[in-house]
Amino acid sequence: MKRENLFRNVLFLICAYVFIAGAALGFLILSGRMTAQTDPFNPELVALGKRIYGGHCAACHGIDLKGQPNWEKQNPDGTFPAPPQDGTGHNWEHSDRQLFDFISEGGAVFAPTSMESNMPAYKYRLEPREIWAVLAYIKSTWPEEILKKHARTNFVGGLKHH
């Protein structure tokens, strides 16, 4: 009987440990603390991202990250104006990985057949660390509520590109 109690107690402790570790990991991810590559609270990363954004992204997305007017309305040529990056658009609906891939590969890779994309691929222009830094800078401008929503998006993997 004692051996059964010992086994049950050990099993209970293992299960409790796994549960607590999982809860802690979930908290870190949901709070945004596990996305170090795009940490919007890292001043050096944000400064690098701001510089790169200014040189590569601001021409279309705006120095103020406001995007182009009527960004949700398709142009006659099948493209869409550049969306805002300040948290008022839809980029927070995509995980960091999806956003990285979109910047790296360009919008055409992800565009449905009903649209065209003017978003160029930056994989040959920027180092991966620079792309992550741009995302850190963009996220540093988002309000707290959008950061929380995006952390949840990162946790579940984000939505499909639309």
Side-chain angles (χ1 to χ4, degrees):
M1 195 65 125
K2 291 181 182 182
R3 185 171 228 157
E4 289 176 2
N5 286 341
L6 178 63
F7 177 76
R8 187 175 43 219
N9 289 342
V10 169
L11 185 60
F12 173 78
L13 288 173
I14 290 170
C15 290
Y17 174 79
V18 169
F19 175 79
I20 292 169
L25 180 62
F27 170 77
L28 292 172
I29 291 171
L30 288 175
S31 67
R33 290 179 173 86
M34 289 295 287
T35 54
Q37 295 179 108
T38 61
D39 181 1
F41 304 106
N42 178 330
E44 292 173 19
L45 193 60
V46 169
L48 173 63
K50 183 176 184 177
R51 183 177 56 76
I52 294 165
Y53 179 93
H56 293 278
C57 313
C60 294
H61 293 281
I63 195 72
D64 59 0
L65 294 96
K66 299 280 184 211
Q68 296 174 343
N70 302 312
W71 63 273
E72 293 180 286
K73 185 177 180 201
Q74 194 168 22
N75 296 320
D77 67 356
T79 63
F80 280 82
Q85 302 299 307
D86 62 359
T88 61
H90 62 82
N91 53 350
W92 63 266
E93 296 175 348
H94 302 289
S95 68
D96 285 343
R97 181 81 240 175
Q98 288 171 321
L99 294 170
F100 177 92
D101 291 345
F102 193 85
I103 295 168
S104 179
E105 301 298 323
V109 171
F110 303 103
T113 55
S114 63
M115 67 172 270
E116 300 287 324
S117 178
N118 289 328
M119 175 70 183
Y122 282 92
K123 65 182 172 186
Y124 300 116
R125 300 179 197 179
L126 298 174
E127 296 294 321
R129 182 176 186 280
E130 293 173 317
I131 295 173
W132 291 119
V134 167
L135 291 172
Y137 165 64
I138 289 169
K139 288 169 56 172
S140 76
T141 69
W142 292 352
E144 184 177 345
E145 183 58 32
I146 296 297
L147 284 172
K148 287 179 182 177
K149 287 180 179 181
H150 186 257
R152 289 189 294 269
T153 299
N154 271 334
F155 184 70
V156 297
L159 304 174
K160 300 266 186 227
H161 288 281
H162 32 131

